[in-house]
Amino acid sequence: MNRIEKLLIANRGEIAIRIIRTCRKLGIKTVAIYTKPDSNAMHTKLADEVYFLGSDPYSYLDVDKIISIAKKSNASAIHPGYGFLSETSIFAKAVEDSGIVWIGPPSKVIELLESKSMVRAIAYKLNIPVVPGSLEPVDMAQAKRIAEEIGYPIFIKADRGGGGRGIRLVNSLEQLEKLFDIAVEEMKSSFRSNKVYVEKYIPYARHIELQILADIHGNIVALGERECSIQRRYQKVVEEAPSPIVTHEDRERLYEYAIKFMKHIGYVNAGTMEFLRDCNGNFYLIEVNKRIQVEHPVTEMVTGIDIVEQQIRIAEGRELEIKSNVYKFNGHAIEVRIYAEDFEKGMPSPGTVSYVEFPNIEGIRIDHMLEPGTFIPPFYDPMIAKVIAISSDRYGAITKLVEALKMFRIEGVKTSIPIALKILTSREFVEGNIHVEIYDKLVYT
């Protein structure tokens, strides 16, 4: 067993702080890294040791620098958080080769799953339903042929995309001919790969994902599902657990799919299987996330399981203490992401936070990076906090979350709190009649 004594967090913001919190509980010392824009960031004040990455805001992507700091600080492990290098096999392999413990799935598994068409092909081979479309990257001629077989509309998707980016909706052959080469060039620029695949568009789909834990001893458990159907431009905004639409029978079937897939590829650590549910109740695997998710707190709230702690224990070589899939949940939890953004302009709102007042309500958890004087840089994702509510039922969680957001004051930058309130108090959300296309209706009408 590789006992982790000191852990470097290859990230920033609220997820770095979240990881520090669990490390303190476990008696593990933490190492923070930062760039010049983050020189006064909260995560640098909470860690046991702090190292400067460099003036370049994007040094969080510098593999060599991060590993050099890990060695210099004598860190025994690296946790990548989410975003940045968290799903990059090159980084995972470099960490493994350095002799430092990597808190995540093995690099060879990450490399396999970096191709979303490969995920589809593996699932298809295992008789796990996937959205109709290609099982490998395609060129224009192949895209045309498949689109004719499955019918329009279709999506052109980046084979190595992520975070809701690298997706183009195509409604006709004429559009496909016009957009295909443009989409390929866009995705080459964004993801350093010009490979794309095509997938049938499913109208009014719901996004359902499963949280999985797997250890090196072959044990795999599912901790329940999350619903993430409130999305803006394919990026999640509100998440909840459990889903209001998933039945016990659905859950059993999804658990079977997920565990079969993860066992087949030799997955280890925390991971997420993402599915779409169509209007007829059919589920289709769309991708596998190879890291901790932004929305992991809702699962923690309804199960009482600290997922970061489980990641660390798995990386140490321990056997999972959770022996069976989770079917019983401690109520209902909902999370809303708070962004520093100017809604009217549709732009991020960087700047310095001048005042913060947090709601003090039982059953409310806030994962954040905020204090007076916090600088919100323009270089990174503008998410600055996550507010999570838990109650005995869904309506109670909504009510509690709305109350908390009304009490949450952030001054100095504009935030998305008014938009979150509009979504949470809409008739459609309260009744659970949601899907991945409903955001604009809830916000703009």
Side-chain angles (χ1 to χ4, degrees):
M1 186 178 74
N2 301 310
R3 169 66 179 158
I4 295 172
E5 303 285 349
K6 185 188 288 188
L7 184 152
L8 182 144
I9 302 162
N11 218 298
R12 63 180 296 279
E14 69 84 17
I15 187 60
I17 295 165
R18 162 71 189 90
I19 295 166
I20 289 170
R21 188 169 71 242
T22 287
C23 287
R24 284 183 173 179
K25 180 177 73 173
L26 299 177
I28 298 171
K29 292 189 178 299
T30 52
V31 179
I33 54 176
Y34 70 97
T35 61
K36 188 175 180 179
D38 277 339
S39 57
N40 195 41
M42 185 183 288
H43 74 282
T44 68
K45 302 173 184 179
L46 297 176
D48 295 293
E49 298 177 26
V50 184
Y51 288 83
F52 182 52
L53 267 175
S55 297
D56 183 349
Y58 303 106
S59 294
Y60 291 108
L61 299 173
D62 192 322
V63 172
D64 292 338
K65 277 188 180 179
I66 293 171
I67 292 179
S68 174
I69 290 172
K71 290 179 176 178
K72 183 178 179 180
S73 65
N74 291 316
S76 50
I78 292 179
H79 195 306
Y82 54 71
F84 291 123
L85 294 167
S86 61
E87 294 185 276
T88 306
S89 60
I90 293 172
F91 182 44
K93 181 70 162 57
V95 174
E96 292 168 348
D97 288 347
S98 73
I100 297 170
V101 174
W102 166 253
I103 300 182
S107 60
K108 63 181 181 180
V109 172
I110 297 177
E111 184 178 13
L112 179 72
L113 300 178
E114 282 174 340
S115 166
K116 289 180 168 50
S117 62
M118 176 62 73
V119 170
R120 290 168 51 78
I122 294 170
Y124 183 81
K125 178 181 176 182
L126 296 173
N127 293 317
I128 297 170
V130 295
V131 178
S134 62
L135 298 177
E136 59 186 7
V138 296
D139 58 22
M140 170 79 87
Q142 292 168 321
K144 284 182 179 180
R145 178 180 57 77
I146 293 170
E148 186 177 343
E149 291 173 359
I150 64 178
Y152 291 92
I154 63 167
F155 282 118
I156 303 173
K157 291 189 172 184
D159 190 52
R160 294 176 181 269
R165 298 176 298 128
I167 301 173
R168 279 274 194 159
L169 179 63
V170 176
N171 292 294
S172 65
L173 173 60
E174 292 74 22
Q175 267 197 338
L176 179 59
E177 291 176 336
K178 181 180 179 182
L179 292 176
F180 188 86
D181 289 339
I182 295 172
V184 167
E185 286 305 310
E186 283 180 350
M187 294 168 191
K188 184 178 180 180
S189 173
S190 297
F191 304 108
R192 293 179 292 180
S193 170
N194 62 356
K195 293 182 178 180
V196 300
Y197 65 100
V198 294
E199 195 175 81
K200 176 71 174 172
Y201 160 76
I202 297 179
Y204 310 117
R206 298 178 74 132
H207 182 117
I208 309 294
E209 63 185 33
L210 294 187
Q211 177 65 62
I212 302 296
L213 293 175
D215 65 25
I216 63 171
H217 307 284
N219 301 303
I220 304 178
V221 294
L223 305 186
E225 80 282 352
R226 297 183 286 257
E227 174 142 5
C228 311
S229 295
I230 304 296
Q231 301 183 6
R232 176 180 60 177
R233 297 188 293 272
Y234 311 115
Q235 292 188 311
K236 302 163 190 172
V237 178
V238 180
E239 303 97 355
E240 57 185 302
S243 164
I245 203 167
V246 171
T247 66
H248 179 77
E249 291 72 24
D250 290 336
R251 194 170 291 123
E252 286 189 317
R253 181 158 34 108
L254 292 172
Y255 282 6
E256 180 184 344
Y257 292 157
I259 291 171
K260 182 196 296 184
F261 186 97
M262 294 303 213
K263 277 188 179 293
H264 179 78
I265 63 171
Y267 198 92
V268 175
N269 215 271
T272 302
M273 303 281 289
E274 300 201 346
F275 294 84
L276 288 183
R277 179 192 184 275
D278 69 16
C279 294
N280 297 317
N282 300 306
F283 290 87
Y284 305 93
L285 178 65
I286 53 172
E287 65 178 288
V288 178
N289 280 305
K290 312 165 284 292
R291 54 169 168 79
I292 194 164
Q293 294 281 84
V294 175
E295 59 272 18
H296 75 275
V298 291
T299 299
E300 293 184 327
M301 297 285 269
V302 298
T303 63
I305 295 168
D306 183 331
I307 295 173
V308 174
E309 178 180 350
Q310 295 303 314
Q311 286 190 288
I312 293 170
R313 292 187 180 282
I314 290 168
E316 289 180 326
R318 299 173 190 253
E319 190 168 351
L320 279 170
E321 295 179 351
I322 308 155
K323 298 301 182 184
S324 59
N325 298 327
V326 176
Y327 287 96
K328 186 176 181 181
F329 305 103
N330 307 320
H332 198 99
I334 305 175
E335 171 185 290
V336 64
R337 305 184 188 193
I338 307 300
Y339 296 92
E341 64 181 23
D342 186 331
F343 168 71
E344 293 180 355
K345 295 181 179 178
M347 298 287 289
S349 176
T352 301
V353 175
S354 57
Y355 178 80
V356 186
E357 184 176 339
F358 298 102
N360 183 17
I361 302 172
E362 185 178 354
I364 290 292
R365 165 178 165 179
I366 303 178
D367 288 10
H368 68 93
M369 51 182 282
L370 301 170
E371 63 181 351
T374 295
F375 175 60
I376 310 299
F379 311 107
Y380 312 117
D381 185 298
M383 190 183 75
I384 54 176
K386 303 179 303 197
V387 184
I388 309 101
I390 187 166
S391 189
S392 58
D393 57 35
R394 187 172 185 270
Y395 183 74
I398 295 172
T399 303
K400 193 175 289 189
L401 187 51
V402 167
E403 181 185 1
L405 291 176
K406 288 179 177 178
M407 295 173 62
F408 195 4
R409 290 181 59 195
I410 305 170
E411 296 178 4
V413 296
K414 294 187 177 182
T415 77
S416 60
I417 289 176
I419 303 307
L421 285 168
K422 199 167 185 180
I423 293 168
L424 294 171
T425 56
S426 67
R427 176 177 54 82
E428 291 87 347
F429 186 81
V430 171
E431 294 177 356
N433 296 322
I434 55 178
H435 53 79
V436 297
E437 300 169 72
I438 204 169
Y439 178 89
D440 284 355
K441 179 182 179 182
L442 301 185
V443 171
Y444 297 110
T445 59

